[in-house]
């Protein structure tokens, strides 16, 4: 089997959940309260069991190909971080295939040119994806903190090291140029959410919401893992209900 695995829970219309660098359980665990009203479809990107390993590396262009067949029943789609890149690429090719699109803290620095905080975030992401555990330790920890990892001054936990190694060699986020114009032109309902923990993420999310003519939400309390923040599940439920057509 070469297809990615989707694990479904709950009943009702489908919300397709596309994680980023962390796995589905870490990213979406707090949304289980929605299963009385919605079917939550947890995508496991390549390299995240039980899905197969990547053909070569983590790659948002491959993610887009994997996601395209999952849109045939017009789900609501929620994507986080690196997972937003493949999601946008898939939706841009068939924007009428989704009911709504919720995007959480994506690495889309090109939307905010000449901003030093955003440029720093992009630099750190590229360095870590290029060098993995050979990244300068201070820069690696800085990036991991921005990515929501609970990093202290001690040795990195084994699961964190495994995550860095899994991301090593991935297609660089700085090269992503999703066709936002196609999504906006199709008038896809969009919600862009952030966690109010880093200026760079806030500015990128502001620019993305403007580019897609979308709604904007800020939910502090869980860092980069905004889906776990107070109030987010209720906001997502309301947004999806409003666009259930």
């Amino acid at each position: 089997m070469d297809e990615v695995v989707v694990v479904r829970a709950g009943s009702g219309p489908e919300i397709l959940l596309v994680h980023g660098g962390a796995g589905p359980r870490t990213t979406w665990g707090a949304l289980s309260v929605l299963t009385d009203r919605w079917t939550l479809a947890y995508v496991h990107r390549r390299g995240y069991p039980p899905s197969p390993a990547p053909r070569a590396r983590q790659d948002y262009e491959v993610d887009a190909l994997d996601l395209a067949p999952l849109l045939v029943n017009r789900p609501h789609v929620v994507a986080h971080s690196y997972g937003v890149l493949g999601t946008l690429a898939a939706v841009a090719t068939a924007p009428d295939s989704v009911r709504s699109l919720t995007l959480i803290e994506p690495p889309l620095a090109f939307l905010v040119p000449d901003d030093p905080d955003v440029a720093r975030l992009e630099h750190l992401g590229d360095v870590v994806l290029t060098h993995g555990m050979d990244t300068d330790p201070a820069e690696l920890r800085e990036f991991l903190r921005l990515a929501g990892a609970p990093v202290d001054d001690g040795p990195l936990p084994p699961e964190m090291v495994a995550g860095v190694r899994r991301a090593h060699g991935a297609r660089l986020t700085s090269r992503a140029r999703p066709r936002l114009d196609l999504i906006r032109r199709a008038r896809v309902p969009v919600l862009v959410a952030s966690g109010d923990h880093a200026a760079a993420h806030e500015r990128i999310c502001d620019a993305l919401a403007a580019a897609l003519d979308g709604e904007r939400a800020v939910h502090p309390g869980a860092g980069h893992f905004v889906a776990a923040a107070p109030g987010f599940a209720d906001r997502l439920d309301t947004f999806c209900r409003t666009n259930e057509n």
Side-chain angles (χ1 to χ4, degrees), residues 28 36 41 43 49 67 74 80 90 93 98 104 110 117 135 143 149 151 158-159 187 229 236:
W28 307 122
D36 287 344
V43 177
L67 292 170
R74 290 194 72 232
H80 179 253
T93 64
V98 298
I104 304 172
F110 81 95
D117 293 323
T135 301
F143 174 77
V151 178
E159 63 273 14
R187 298 184 179 182
L236 177 63

Coordinates of all heavy atoms in Angstrom, one line a residue, residues 28 36 41 43 49 67 74 80 90 93 98 104 110 117 135 143 149 151 158-159 187 229 236:
W28 N -3.8 17.5 17.0 CA -5.3 17.6 17.0 C -6.0 17.0 18.2 O -7.3 17.0 18.2 CB -5.8 16.9 15.7 CG -5.2 17.4 14.4 CD1 -4.5 16.6 13.5 CD2 -5.2 18.7 13.9 NE1 -4.1 17.3 12.5 CE2 -4.5 18.6 12.7 CE3 -5.7 19.9 14.3 CZ2 -4.3 19.7 11.9 CZ3 -5.5 21.0 13.5 CH2 -4.8 20.9 12.3
D36 N -19.0 14.5 18.4 CA -20.4 14.4 18.5 C -21.1 15.0 17.3 O -22.3 14.6 17.0 CB -21.0 15.0 19.8 CG -20.6 14.1 21.0 OD1 -20.2 13.0 20.8 OD2 -20.7 14.7 22.1
A41 N -11.4 13.4 10.4 CA -10.6 12.6 9.5 C -9.1 13.0 9.7 O -8.7 14.0 9.1 CB -11.0 12.7 8.1
V43 N -5.5 12.8 8.9 CA -4.5 12.4 7.9 C -3.2 12.1 8.6 O -2.8 12.9 9.4 CB -4.3 13.5 6.8 CG1 -3.3 13.1 5.8 CG2 -5.7 13.8 6.1
P49 N 3.5 6.9 11.0 CA 2.8 5.6 11.0 C 1.4 5.8 11.4 O 1.1 6.7 12.2 CB 3.6 4.8 12.0 CG 4.9 5.3 12.0 CD 4.8 6.8 11.8
L67 N -3.2 14.4 -0.9 CA -4.5 15.0 -0.3 C -5.6 15.1 -1.4 O -6.8 15.1 -1.1 CB -4.2 16.4 0.2 CG -3.3 16.4 1.5 CD1 -2.9 17.9 1.8 CD2 -4.1 15.8 2.7
R74 N -15.9 16.8 -0.6 CA -16.0 18.2 -0.2 C -16.0 18.3 1.4 O -16.9 18.8 2.0 CB -17.3 18.9 -0.7 CG -17.3 19.2 -2.2 CD -18.4 20.1 -2.6 NE -18.1 21.5 -2.1 CZ -18.9 22.2 -1.4 NH1 -20.1 21.8 -1.1 NH2 -18.6 23.5 -1.0
H80 N -2.2 22.5 9.6 CA -1.3 23.1 10.5 C 0.1 23.2 10.0 O 0.6 22.2 9.5 CB -1.3 22.3 11.8 CG -0.4 22.9 12.9 ND1 0.7 22.2 13.3 CD2 -0.5 24.0 13.7 CE1 1.3 22.9 14.3 NE2 0.6 24.0 14.5
A90 N -3.0 21.5 -3.0 CA -4.1 20.6 -3.4 C -5.4 21.4 -3.7 O -6.1 21.2 -4.7 CB -4.3 19.5 -2.4
T93 N -5.7 23.5 -7.0 CA -6.0 22.8 -8.2 C -7.5 22.5 -8.3 O -8.0 22.2 -9.4 CB -5.2 21.5 -8.3 OG1 -5.6 20.6 -7.2 CG2 -3.7 21.7 -8.2
V98 N -13.6 21.8 -1.5 CA -13.7 22.0 -0.1 C -14.8 22.9 0.3 O -15.2 23.8 -0.4 CB -12.3 22.5 0.5 CG1 -11.2 21.5 0.2 CG2 -12.0 23.9 0.0
I104 N -3.6 27.2 10.0 CA -3.0 27.5 11.3 C -1.4 27.7 11.2 O -0.7 26.7 10.9 CB -3.3 26.4 12.4 CG1 -4.8 26.2 12.5 CG2 -2.7 26.8 13.7 CD1 -5.1 25.0 13.3
F110 N 7.1 34.6 2.5 CA 7.1 35.5 1.3 C 6.0 36.5 1.3 O 6.0 37.5 0.7 CB 7.1 34.6 0.0 CG 5.7 34.1 -0.4 CD1 4.9 34.9 -1.3 CD2 5.2 33.0 0.2 CE1 3.6 34.4 -1.6 CE2 3.9 32.5 -0.2 CZ 3.1 33.3 -1.1
D117 N 11.6 39.8 11.7 CA 11.2 38.7 12.5 C 10.8 37.5 11.6 O 11.1 36.3 11.9 CB 10.0 39.1 13.4 CG 10.4 40.0 14.5 OD1 11.5 39.9 15.0 OD2 9.6 40.9 14.8
T135 N 22.5 21.3 12.8 CA 22.2 22.7 13.0 C 22.9 23.2 14.2 O 23.0 22.5 15.2 CB 20.7 23.0 13.1 OG1 20.1 22.4 11.9 CG2 20.4 24.4 13.2
F143 N 14.6 27.5 16.9 CA 13.5 27.1 16.0 C 12.5 26.2 16.6 O 11.3 26.3 16.4 CB 14.2 26.3 14.8 CG 13.2 25.7 13.9 CD1 12.5 26.5 12.9 CD2 12.9 24.4 13.9 CE1 11.5 26.0 12.1 CE2 11.9 23.8 13.1 CZ 11.2 24.6 12.2
A149 N 7.9 23.3 20.5 CA 8.4 22.3 21.3 C 8.8 22.8 22.6 O 9.4 23.9 22.8 CB 9.7 21.7 20.5
V151 N 11.3 23.1 24.9 CA 12.7 22.9 24.9 C 13.3 23.6 26.1 O 13.0 24.8 26.4 CB 13.4 23.5 23.7 CG1 14.9 23.4 23.7 CG2 12.8 22.8 22.4
P158 N 14.3 12.2 23.1 CA 14.5 11.3 21.9 C 13.4 11.5 20.9 O 13.7 11.5 19.7 CB 14.4 9.9 22.5 CG 14.8 10.0 23.9 CD 14.4 11.4 24.4
E159 N 12.2 11.8 21.3 CA 11.1 12.0 20.3 C 11.3 13.3 19.6 O 11.0 13.4 18.4 CB 9.7 12.0 21.0 CG 9.5 13.1 22.0 CD 9.9 12.7 23.4 OE1 10.7 11.8 23.6 OE2 9.6 13.5 24.3
R187 N -13.7 32.0 -3.9 CA -14.4 32.4 -2.7 C -14.6 31.3 -1.7 O -15.7 31.1 -1.1 CB -15.8 33.0 -3.1 CG -15.7 34.2 -4.0 CD -17.1 34.8 -4.3 NE -17.0 36.0 -5.1 CZ -18.0 36.8 -5.5 NH1 -19.2 36.5 -5.1 NH2 -17.8 37.9 -6.2
A229 N -5.6 25.4 22.0 CA -5.8 26.6 22.8 C -7.2 26.8 23.2 O -8.1 26.3 22.5 CB -5.3 27.8 22.0
L236 N -13.8 26.8 15.6 CA -13.8 25.9 14.5 C -15.2 25.4 14.2 O -15.6 25.3 13.1 CB -12.7 24.8 14.6 CG -12.7 23.8 13.5 CD1 -12.3 24.5 12.2 CD2 -11.7 22.7 13.8

